[in-house]
């Protein structure tokens, strides 16, 4: 559907696959290490995906909004320590976005990504659903030949069913134009965060990663346009 009440768009797609394999990846855990090997074992794997995008513009408010969402299910078999097990992995992701430009001197943009994954292995093992959320807000102010940009990000991550983490990041930049010259001053990682952690699922396992962040930085740059 499109151009409903001035501007409204909606697209949706549904896909599915059924694959047959004669080899299966076997996994063994020995002395704290995983060993992978391919073994002959005919099996099938299935995947289903639903993808949809909604967007709406409000011209009188200089506002544009959209919502994209994605739903996926994978089913198959795994070989773990010599035992063949069925698994199912479900993942949901939604991405809302909003852009507001009430005047030439101000623009605001908000975007978020909300994801949740869960796995079932065999008849008894279930990995708890984990939520991961990232949000970003960007504000741009214009004053004649000068532009100020402020951006902030928030991350919420489930590391386990009982442990959660919130991380806040912020950047700022100031740009001034003089003729063909462009002068920029910026500061990144304003809150001086040191580390960011998150937990993700694959189809049959979970893993936690730690990312070391660069400390707070200040910088200036000069550009000349020919």
């Amino acid at each position: 559907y499109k151009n409903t009440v001035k501007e409204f768009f909606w697209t949706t797609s549904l896909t599915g696959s059924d694959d047959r394999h004669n080899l299966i990846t076997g996994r063994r855990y020995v002395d704290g290490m995983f060993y992978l090997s391919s073994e002959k074992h005919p099996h099938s794997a299935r995947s289903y995906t639903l993808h949809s995008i909604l967007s709406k513009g409000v011209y009188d408010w200089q506002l544009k909004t959209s919502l994209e969402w994605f739903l996926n299910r994978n089913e198959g078999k795994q070989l773990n320590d010599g035992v063949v097990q069925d698994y199912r992995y479900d993942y949901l992701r939604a991405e809302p976005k909003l852009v507001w430009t009430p005047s030439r001197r101000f623009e605001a943009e908000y975007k978020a990504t909300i994801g949740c994954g869960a796995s079932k292995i065999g008849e008894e093992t279930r990995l708890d659903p984990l939520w991961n959320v990232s949000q970003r807000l960007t504000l741009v102010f214009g004053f004649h030949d000068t532009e100020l940009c402020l951006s902030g990000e928030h991350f919420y991550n489930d590391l386990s069913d009982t442990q959660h983490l919130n991380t806040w990041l912020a950047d700022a930049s100031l740009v001034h134009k003089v003729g063909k010259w462009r002068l920029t001053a910026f500061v990144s990682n304003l809150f001086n965060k040191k580390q960011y952690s998150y937990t993700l699922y694959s189809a049959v396992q979970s893993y936690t990663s730690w990312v070391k962040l660069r400390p707070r930085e200040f910088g200036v740059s000069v550009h000349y346009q020919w």
Side-chain angles (χ1 to χ4, degrees):
Y1 296 89
K2 55 185 170 180
N3 293 331
T4 302
V5 191
K6 291 190 177 180
E7 184 183 327
F8 176 79
F9 301 93
W10 177 25
T11 62
T12 298
S13 64
L14 176 63
T15 59
S17 65
D18 190 334
D19 303 320
R20 305 300 173 96
H21 307 273
N22 62 350
L23 295 177
I24 191 170
T25 300
R27 186 182 65 170
R28 294 184 181 275
Y29 185 72
V30 181
D31 297 330
M33 297 184 66
F34 282 108
Y35 295 88
L36 303 178
S37 62
S38 295
E39 302 186 23
K40 187 174 182 180
H41 184 87
H43 66 287
S44 62
R46 291 168 297 279
S47 176
Y48 312 96
T49 302
L50 178 62
H51 181 217
S52 186
I53 303 175
L54 292 166
S55 66
K56 179 71 177 74
V58 183
Y59 290 111
D60 294 339
W61 298 351
Q62 299 297 315
L63 178 68
K64 294 183 178 180
T65 63
S66 67
L67 173 63
E68 180 176 2
W69 59 282
F70 171 93
L71 179 62
N72 176 254
R73 166 169 289 185
N74 291 301
E75 299 175 344
K77 296 182 182 295
Q78 68 161 352
L79 181 62
N80 190 20
D81 291 328
V83 179
V84 177
Q85 296 176 310
D86 294 324
Y87 71 81
R88 188 185 73 196
Y89 173 62
D90 297 317
Y91 181 71
L92 170 66
R93 185 182 77 236
E95 295 185 358
K97 183 178 180 180
L98 183 149
V99 179
W100 182 42
T101 312
S103 71
R104 293 183 298 174
R105 295 186 177 184
F106 176 73
E107 178 178 309
E109 178 177 340
Y110 170 81
K111 183 178 181 180
T113 300
I114 305 167
C116 181
S119 287
K120 176 184 177 183
I121 304 171
E123 295 296 329
E124 299 179 357
T125 303
R126 292 179 180 269
L127 302 181
D128 294 316
L130 297 182
W131 289 91
N132 291 283
V133 180
S134 65
Q135 304 179 82
R136 182 180 181 88
L137 176 64
T138 302
L139 304 177
V140 180
F141 303 87
F143 308 95
H144 301 292
D145 296 328
T146 303
E147 182 179 275
L148 174 64
C149 180
L150 305 174
S151 62
E153 291 182 276
H154 169 244
F155 298 90
Y156 170 85
N157 303 97
D158 285 338
L159 302 181
S160 66
D161 60 335
T162 58
Q163 188 178 5
H164 320 287
L165 181 68
N166 285 281
T167 303
W168 298 86
L169 302 174
D171 301 321
S173 66
L174 182 65
V175 179
H176 181 65
K177 299 178 182 178
V178 181
K180 295 184 178 181
W181 292 92
R182 180 185 176 97
L183 311 176
T184 305
F186 67 89
V187 55
S188 59
N189 195 3
L190 191 62
F191 301 140
N192 202 27
K193 294 293 183 179
K194 305 295 186 181
Q195 181 175 283
Y196 170 59
S197 304
Y198 59 93
T199 297
L200 296 175
Y201 286 152
S202 66
V204 294
Q205 62 184 343
S206 65
Y207 56 94
T208 301
S209 299
W210 293 266
V211 179
K212 289 186 177 180
L213 302 176
R214 295 173 65 92
R216 183 189 298 117
E217 290 183 328
F218 298 89
V220 294
S221 64
V222 180
H223 298 269
Y224 180 80
Q225 184 178 359
W226 299 95

